[in-house]
Amino acid sequence: MPKSPIADPNEDYPRWYQDVIAKAGLAENGPVRGTMVIRPYGYAIWERIQADIDARIKAAGADNVYFPLFIPESYLHREAEHVEGFSPELAVVTIAGGKELTEPVVVRPTSETVFGEQMAKWVNSYRDLPLLLNQWANVVRWEMRPRLFLRTSEFLWQEGHTVHASAADAAAYALRIHHDVYRDFLVDTLALPVLLGRKTAEERFAGAINTMTCEGVTRDRKALQLATSHELGQNFARAFDITYSDERGEVQTAWTSSWGASTRLVGGLIMGHGDAGGLRLPPRIAPTQVAIVVVRDEDGAVAKARELGDTIAAAGFRVKVDADVHAGFGRRAVDWELKGVPLRIDLGPRDLAAGQVTLLRRDSGEKSQAPLDRAPHLVGDLLDDIQAAMLAEATEFRDAATADVGSVEEALEAGREGVGRIEWARLGPEGERRLLDDGVSVRCIQRPDGSVPASEEEPDLQAIVARAY
RNA sequence: CGGGGAGUGGCGCAGUCUGGUAGCGCACUCGGCUGGGGGCCGAGCGGUCGCAGGUUCAAAUCCUGUCUCCCCGACCA
């Protein structure tokens, strides 16, 4: 057995993560610290993530728009908590066109303020509500400790911004997005089981009255925030004067929400499913679902492989034929494994002689044979199986990493090792601060059944605690 | 900002202490042998040693200055 091209995840998880990104060709560091060059394979994954989330957002009734990258610095200052939260990580342009600007311009770290300013103009009557907008954009948050995909100074994301006539409408919509867009996408498409819940005051978005989160669990047993939805109350509506006339002609202040998910999702995918062999992609997100590998160019193997590839592609699957025989079989086998392609179909001399193909699942490593002419019909079921098995495995892993505990000290211990679950009433804000001193945070608060509570005051709430990325 | 390290072919590094023909692995190119899990042999391409100044017959190596990056601690999708 030759040495693995990547670090052992059990020995050095951070290095394993970097190795996977490099060897699978996902991304590289950009020339400026904290920036990221996303390579074709990584971007292909992001494009599929985008397409899926975008469809769900549209199904929830929001329309896409594009707002500017540059925001007047004064906008940020209009909402006190918002500036305070974002000031440390702002990139500010003070010189442009060779001249000092009279008012500095910030590179958007998020767009609540510009949206607020504009939406105030577009909302006049209760008939204009709800106003449901979304944009796909890049944002900049100057980070001290960047990590590819997980935390980069510039990242790509989607940010939704909505205006509603009542607190209840805004809350309901934010929750709807949380469930129908984020949770469903994460579970059904990325096969990542998530913990849903409310953020504590400590962890809440700057300017929000409530933040809801989807937390994933990585293979090194840390929590990773994968998507958030915020009820902004009337904080931004007041700051930007978003008002409307109601049915009786009385002027009312509106309620807003915002919600986002970023390129961090790619990091979540890597850390949620990857193994010692590299990346493992769930079939629904994999840019290439099936790789047909020609072992040797003999007896018309290449032509057979192409024919098989065409048949499978015609059935609607994303397939690539690897006829790059000069590279040697081992090299290519390892490469497809590193890239996490869910299903490999090998076509070698032995297969051809027997009129069969060799099937290899990336999720389990399981190898099997099937008649050549049957292969195309097996692909669909196999990919479905793999998708389901990956979700099941990840769920099992998460549950095994989770411990129910009864005291703050136990919660600290559990949170250091993996995920701890403790009654929120028992932990409380004091316990939360105690955990923070040792690098463990409350990832979210949830109901006993795992659903999102409507308020922190509900009885029997559970706090999920862990170390976080 | 505090503490620690590093700048040498595309990537990863040795050489620096003790100045004297710039090296190794990977990748790349060509040829051959191989071929069901990163295969082997041979031949090549490729570097003003971060930058500036100084010492010296001679500097990757010594001196001075300067810039940059990485790691560890305090913020974060």
Side-chain angles (χ1 to χ4, degrees), chain A residues 137-313:
Chain A
N138 58 338
V139 286
V140 168
R141 299 180 186 175
W142 218 256
E143 295 292 348
M144 306 191 217
R145 280 171 71 64
R147 282 186 117 218
L148 288 175
F149 289 114
L150 297 180
R151 204 184 306 108
T152 46
S153 288
E154 177 191 5
F155 58 90
L156 306 180
W157 77 345
Q158 143 285 308
E159 51 177 323
H161 297 277
T162 68
V163 187
H164 304 265
S166 69
D169 283 357
Y173 195 75
L175 188 63
R176 177 179 172 188
I177 292 289
H178 209 60
H179 285 151
D180 298 358
V181 177
Y182 299 141
R183 179 198 53 197
D184 288 358
F185 166 74
L186 287 162
V187 174
D188 295 344
T189 303
L190 296 194
L192 290 172
V194 284
L195 297 159
L196 301 187
R198 240 180 122 82
K199 286 293 189 186
T200 62
E202 185 82 32
E203 302 282 329
R204 204 178 281 155
F205 175 76
I209 61 167
N210 176 32
T211 290
M212 292 172 284
T213 181
C214 292
E215 298 280 326
V217 177
T218 60
R219 304 300 272 204
D220 65 339
R221 305 163 146 249
K222 290 192 191 178
L224 180 65
Q225 183 173 305
L226 292 166
T228 48
S229 310
H230 317 287
E231 291 174 49
L232 303 174
Q234 294 182 306
N235 292 346
F236 288 90
R238 276 193 292 264
F240 291 90
D241 199 25
I242 309 175
T243 57
Y244 67 95
S245 300
D246 67 14
E247 293 89 329
R248 295 176 312 242
E250 285 175 27
V251 175
Q252 304 286 350
T253 298
W255 301 73
T256 64
S257 90
S258 68
W259 24 277
S262 72
T263 34
R264 171 179 279 186
L265 289 169
V266 179
L269 206 44
I270 299 166
M271 296 188 129
H273 292 303
D275 67 8
L279 192 59
R280 289 196 306 169
L281 293 176
R284 289 193 190 143
I285 209 69
T288 298
Q289 297 171 301
V290 183
I292 301 175
V293 180
V294 177
V295 176
R296 225 184 304 169
D297 186 12
E298 290 175 6
D299 309 317
V302 172
K304 272 271 186 341
R306 293 204 196 287
E307 196 181 311
L308 180 61
D310 288 345
T311 309
I312 294 174

Side-chain angles (χ1 to χ4, degrees), chain A residues 332-354:
Chain A
R332 294 176 291 142
V334 170
D335 215 59
W336 289 115
E337 186 169 304
L338 282 166
K339 285 182 175 297
V341 172
L343 183 63
R344 215 177 79 209
I345 302 180
D346 291 347
L347 205 54
R350 291 207 292 272
D351 295 307
L352 286 170

Side-chain angles (χ1 to χ4, degrees), chain A residues 71-88:
Chain A
I71 301 178
E73 194 180 39
S74 61
Y75 279 26
L76 273 291
H77 289 279
R78 292 206 216 160
E79 213 289 329
E81 284 184 27
H82 196 63
V83 226
E84 198 190 324
F86 281 104
S87 289

